[in-house]
Amino acid sequence: MDNFTAFIYLVSAVCFIMALRGLSHPESARAGVMYGMAGMALAVVVTFFAVSSSHLWILLGILIGGGIGAAIANKIEMTALPQLMAAFHSLVGLAAVFVAAAAFYNPEAYHLATAEGIKAVSLIEMGLGTAIGAVTFTGSIIAWGKLQGTISGKPLVFSGQHALNALLGALLVLFLILFVVTQSAFWFWAIVVLSLALGVLMIVPIGGADMPVIVSMLNSYSGWAAAGIGFTLHNNLLIIVGALVGASGAILSYIMCKGMNRSFVSVLLGGFGGEQASGSAGGDAGERNAKIGAAEDAAYIMKNASKVIIVPGYGMAVAQAQHAVREMADILKREGVDVKYAIHPVAGRMPGHMNVLLAEANVPYDEVFEQEDINRDFAQTDVVYIIGANDITNPSAKTDTASPIYGMPVLDVENARTVLFVKRSLGSGYAGIDNPLFYRDNTMMLLGDAKKMTEEIIKSLE
C-alpha cells in the first residue's frame, strides 16, 4: 500500500507541475486548472484510504469543508476574488499551525518520537512551519480586511515601526532556538503568539496600491508553510506542492514588483497607497478643467476610429462591465475597427485580475496584450478606452519626481489621439494620487458607472 500511495503521490505531483505550466498562458489556463483539480483529487482519495484513523471523521471534515467551499464559490463575485484569495491563504497558514501543534503534542502518531523526545530536525521543521503559518494567517486576515474595505487601505505607520519588527524577528529566532533546545510547549506557543503579531505588523503599513504584491507574497508564504509541515509529516507530496506554491508565489511577487519599479524590501518596509492619501502629483486639480463627455460622444469617436485600445482596471471589476466591454468591442470590430486590450502587470487588486475578468467574458486571447508588448502602439492609436485604470495610466510616474509612483512603469495612454476615461468621479485612485491625465486636451472624461456607460455607448453604436 505504501508503494502504491507513493506512486499516486508522484502522479499528483506531475499533475500540479502541469497545472503551473498550463496557468502560464491564457490559452492553456483551463487545462492547467483541470490538471490541478485532478492532482488534488488523486492526493485526497489515496490519502483517505492510506490513513488508519477513523475514516468517518475524515469524511465528515471533507463534507463540511467541501460544502463551505462550494457555497462560497457559488456566491462569490468576481470583484471579491482578491480578498477570497487572501482568506484562503489565511486558512492554509492556520492549518499549518494546527498540524504542527498536533504533531508536537502527539509525536508518536507522526513517527517523530524517540527515546530522548522529538528529534531536533523535526522540531526545527515544526517551528519554522508554525512561524510561517502564523505570519501567513494574520497577515492574510489584514490583507483581506484592506481589500474588503473593513480596514482602511491607507498605510498605518508609526514611529519606530521598523525597529519593532526587527526586534520581533530577532526574538522569533531566539524562541525557535529555545524551542528546539528545551522542547517546551511554552516556547512553541510563544512562537505562535509572536508570529501572529508579526503578521499583523508586517501588513498594516502596506498601502492599497501594493496589495497585488502582498496577495502574491502571502500566496508564497502559504506554500512554504505547507512545505515545512510536509517535512514534519514526512509527506513528500506536501513538500512538493508547498515548494511549487512557494516558489511560484515568490517569482510572481518579483514580477509584480518589477511592474511597479519597486523592490520587494521597499514594499515590506512601508508601501504607498491609501484612499485617504493626498495627491500631490500633477499639481492642484482644482485649477484645471476636465472635458466631460457623454456616451453618444464616445460612440461617435470610436465608430470613426481605425484603431482602439481598451485598458481595463479595477473600475471594470467593480461594475462587472467585462461582458458589456466585450460586446462593445465586437460591434466596433464589425465596423472595421481594430480593437485590442492592454493589461498592466498590477491592474486590479491581485495578479492576473483583469485577465480572469476578460476570460470570463470570452475575450479572444490574441486580442489581449501585456504592457511591454503594446506600449509602443499607443502613439499610433486613435482612441484609448480606459475603465477605471487610474494609477497604471498616470503620467506623473514618468514626469513628477515628487510623486510616490515616480519610476513605476505605466501604460503610455496619453500618446493616443483621444483618451476616453470612464470613472465615477475625478477623484484619485486606490493609491490616493491625483491623475493629471484627466485634464489633458486629448482626454474626455465619461463620469459614471462603467457598465452603464459602456451599455449606453453600445446603444449609440447600434
Side-chain angles (χ1 to χ4, degrees), residues 89 135-136 139-140 202-203 206 211-224 245-246 249-250 252-253 256 264 267-268 351:
H89 295 159
V135 168
T136 303
S140 298
M202 284 178 60
I203 305 301
I206 298 174
M211 273 301 112
V213 179
I214 295 308
V215 171
S216 178
M217 179 195 74
L218 291 170
N219 177 51
S220 178
Y221 283 3
S222 68
W224 297 125
V245 173
L252 191 56
S253 298
M256 295 294 103
F264 188 65
V267 172
L268 290 180

Side-chain angles (χ1 to χ4, degrees), residues 274-287:
E275 65 270 18
Q276 305 297 326
S278 60
S280 63
D284 182 9
E287 298 178 356

Side-chain angles (χ1 to χ4, degrees), residues 23 39 48 59 106 158 170 231 243 257 260 345 347 353 361 371 412 438:
L23 291 172
F48 178 81
L59 183 61
N106 189 12
F158 54 86
F231 280 104
C257 287
M260 300 168 67
H353 198 178
Q371 173 187 330
D412 297 330
F438 298 166

Side-chain angles (χ1 to χ4, degrees), residues 78-79 81-82 311-318 322 341-361 363 368 370 387-389 392:
M78 294 298 291
T79 51
L81 277 181
V311 180
Y314 190 67
M316 184 180 78
V318 171
Q322 60 270 25
Y341 297 80
I343 305 294
H344 191 278
V346 294
R349 294 188 183 176
M350 76 172 189
H353 198 178
M354 297 301 105
N355 300 81
V356 172
L357 291 173
L358 295 178
E360 184 196 23
V363 171
V368 181
E370 298 296 328
I387 317 167
I392 60 174

Side-chain angles (χ1 to χ4, degrees), residues 309 311 342 344 371-372 374-381 384 386 392-395 397-398 408-417 419 437 440 442:
I309 295 180
V311 180
H344 191 278
Q371 173 187 330
E372 59 185 15
I374 201 170
N375 237 8
R376 65 178 66 88
D377 293 354
F378 286 108
Q380 291 80 42
T381 300
V384 173
I386 304 173
I392 60 174
T393 61
N394 194 330
K398 297 178 286 187
M408 169 181 167
V410 294
L411 295 167
D412 297 330
V413 295
E414 74 276 9
N415 295 333
R417 182 177 302 172
V419 176
L437 179 66
R440 295 213 174 192
N442 64 331

